[in-house]
Amino acid sequence: MVLPFIASISRDVFDTVPIVLKEAAAGLGCTTFEILRNVVLPYTRVGVIGGVMLGLGRALGETMAVTFVIGNAHKISGSLLAPATTISATIANEFTEAVGDVYTSALIELGLILFVLTFLVLAAARFMLMRLERKGA
Amino acid sequence: MLSHYAARRRSNYVATALCWGAALFGLSWLLLILGALVVNGARGLTLDVFTQMTPPPGGAGGLLNAMAGSLIMSVIGVAIGTPLGLLAGTYMAEYGRHSRLSTLIRFVNDILLSAPSIVIGLFVYTIMVARMGHFSAVSGAVALAILVVPVVLRTTEDMLLLVPGSLREAAAALGAPRAYVIRRIAYRAAKSGLVTGVLLAVARVSGETAPLLFTALNNQFWSLDLNKPMASLPVVIFQFALSPYKDWQQLAWTGALLVTATVLTLSVVARTLSRQRKSK
């Protein structure tokens, strides 16, 4: 689910590279790949990293697709193949069945942790993308 | 010299092939998902799906109440969220184009755009469901409205910024007041773009499960009472797909196919509209 997201942001980011830079590189005899590696990527590095972090923010908050397949096991297991759980999956599975105020509050606390985490990641990502925009302007 | 050139050509081919491969890999997932949905969903696509209520385990039934619930809550959510997003976007593009406030709003809005929707569900639970003491369709609609605002705001601002300044200046030179210029010139020039934003918001909202789980909950029966829990397609799909009953799982597949078809159609229409606008 992160893949299309990063793909579309990368496309937008690559579009910000001034065409003159690319033409200059082509004029020097660069192949397409060399233009990409030596001109486009260095120019857009901040933006690409920002896009990847936006994808990370998406993945952190994704609820339903994860809840279906993760198995909701309350333990940290050494194997990636064993059932586990995520913050959002735990909230989705247990909130409506939570008995008592402490249980409900604990789940809302989990929501706070999740929100703060994604907020930090997304804010950092946006900050990087804004830096690229300023460069283009 | 020549071998060096050949090596460069070769690495260029390899890189191009890898890029192609990655693009194909991404696209193949879309096709696989659509294929699985059509194969599994079409099997249960009968008239009953559109005319019957969600059944008890083992019984026959359809998804009528879920569809009605989704429709009602999406409409209310969009009706609340669109004006807010539209007005905020207008402020940012027209009145406060270079102000600090606009930059701040844009920053926060972009974060809200990708914020986890389950947190929004929790938020609405604490401010509405917990206060009122019961789950209700209204709170579900409010949760959806919170999701609509950032989408509409973003597209509104982008589309209004595309309107050439000379149009506004021409209108201002004719003596039109600012509010008139915005309403009759900027909105009219950006109309298809604004519609695109609303369509995208509807598409986003109609597939959301997480914010509805703790707000509208679910309802096995036909209900149009906004003060009571209401069924919605995504929540029903979630519940039925995880159930051990065969006919419930089949209904979940069919529901998923319906939701996907709706979202896909909306997105394609929105894309075509905005493409027309760009080529103009």
Side-chain angles (χ1 to χ4, degrees):
Chain A
M1 295 187 76
V2 172
L3 193 149
F5 205 65
I6 295 183
S8 90
I9 290 182
S10 300
R11 211 198 85 115
D12 289 348
V13 163
F14 291 154
D15 269 348
T16 65
V17 178
I19 206 100
V20 189
L21 284 183
K22 286 198 245 178
E23 282 171 356
L28 289 173
C30 284
T31 60
T32 316
F33 174 57
E34 282 163 348
I35 296 178
L36 182 70
R37 207 183 55 188
N38 299 323
V39 178
V40 176
L41 277 182
Y43 188 89
T44 55
R45 194 169 48 219
V46 197
V48 172
I49 299 173
V52 172
M53 286 180 72
L54 270 191
L56 177 65
R58 267 285 156 98
L60 274 173
E62 178 52 40
T63 312
M64 300 328 289
V66 176
T67 310
F68 268 103
V69 291
I70 198 160
N72 203 33
H74 289 284
K75 56 174 195 274
I76 298 180
S77 104
S79 164
L80 281 176
L81 297 175
T85 191
T86 66
I87 295 182
S88 45
T90 306
I91 301 174
N93 269 323
E94 297 175 24
F95 195 77
T96 38
E97 290 155 15
V99 191
D101 286 346
V102 183
Y103 200 164
T104 313
S105 300
L107 287 173
I108 292 183
E109 171 87 33
L110 270 182
L112 174 70
I113 296 172
L114 177 68
F115 188 68
V116 170
L117 263 179
T118 43
F119 188 89
L120 290 178
V121 171
L122 292 173
R126 279 297 162 196
F127 193 69
M128 287 173 152
L129 286 171
M130 267 160 73
R131 255 176 58 187
L132 183 80
E133 259 167 44
R134 216 168 296 149
K135 195 156 110 186
Chain B
M1 184 62 202
L2 210 64
S3 71
H4 181 58
Y5 179 63
R8 283 175 57 202
R9 287 279 295 262
R10 221 175 301 129
S11 70
N12 188 34
Y13 282 136
V14 172
T16 315
L18 283 176
C19 288
W20 267 96
L24 279 181
F25 178 77
L27 276 180
S28 64
W29 283 105
L30 180 68
L31 289 181
L32 280 175
I33 292 172
L34 280 180
L37 274 176
V38 169
V39 167
N40 288 302
R43 218 183 296 143
L45 203 60
T46 56
L47 199 63
D48 281 355
V49 173
F50 300 98
T51 53
Q52 306 269 315
M53 305 299 141
T54 45
L63 294 164
L64 179 62
N65 52 342
M67 283 188 245
S70 267
L71 193 70
I72 292 171
M73 283 189 287
S74 303
V75 166
I76 299 178
V78 170
I80 301 174
T82 304
L84 286 174
L86 211 61
L87 290 175
T90 308
Y91 168 76
M92 285 165 67
E94 299 287 339
Y95 291 104
R97 194 175 277 199
H98 302 290
S99 71
R100 274 258 170 78
L101 185 63
S102 292
T103 320
L104 185 72
I105 297 176
R106 193 173 305 124
F107 189 69
V108 173
N109 187 64
D110 280 347
I111 289 174
L112 206 59
L113 199 61
S114 352
S117 52
I118 194 156
V119 173
I120 291 167
L122 279 179
F123 170 69
V124 174
Y125 174 89
T126 51
I127 61 162
M128 289 190 73
V129 178
R131 294 270 163 80
M132 289 156 74
H134 56 85
F135 298 100
S136 64
V138 185
S139 46
V142 169
L144 294 183
I146 296 179
L147 285 168
V148 167
V149 174
V151 182
V152 175
L153 201 166
R154 184 65 199 264
T155 37
T156 303
E157 196 208 353
D158 286 350
M159 291 303 159
L160 285 179
L161 285 180
L162 282 181
V163 176
S166 51
L167 273 183
R168 294 193 189 91
E169 282 159 17
L174 289 174
R178 202 152 187 193
Y180 192 85
V181 175
I182 291 172
R183 259 185 305 136
R184 304 302 294 268
I185 309 292
Y187 276 176
R188 193 165 282 183
K191 195 163 70 189
S192 64
L194 302 182
V195 175
T196 305
V198 177
L199 286 180
L200 283 179
V202 176
R204 164 98 200 263
V205 150
S206 51
E208 279 291 352
T209 321
L212 293 176
L213 278 175
F214 330 124
T215 50
L217 205 67
N218 198 354
N219 197 333
Q220 200 77 19
F221 307 103
W222 176 255
S223 161
L224 292 179
D225 190 348
L226 290 179
N227 213 12
K228 294 233 172 66
M230 194 181 263
S232 62
L233 266 180
V235 177
V236 168
I237 293 169
F238 175 59
Q239 196 195 7
F240 280 16
L242 288 181
S243 73
Y245 313 107
K246 270 270 165 316
D247 31 353
W248 271 22
Q249 290 169 4
Q250 181 56 54
L251 272 178
W253 275 112
T254 311
L257 178 66
L258 291 174
V259 171
T260 313
T262 315
V263 173
L264 200 67
T265 318
L266 284 170
S267 308
V268 169
V269 171
R271 283 267 153 179
T272 338
L273 273 178
S274 66
R275 172 124 4 110
Q276 272 171 3
R277 148 135 211 91
K278 261 177 206 148
S279 63
K280 237 188 264 175

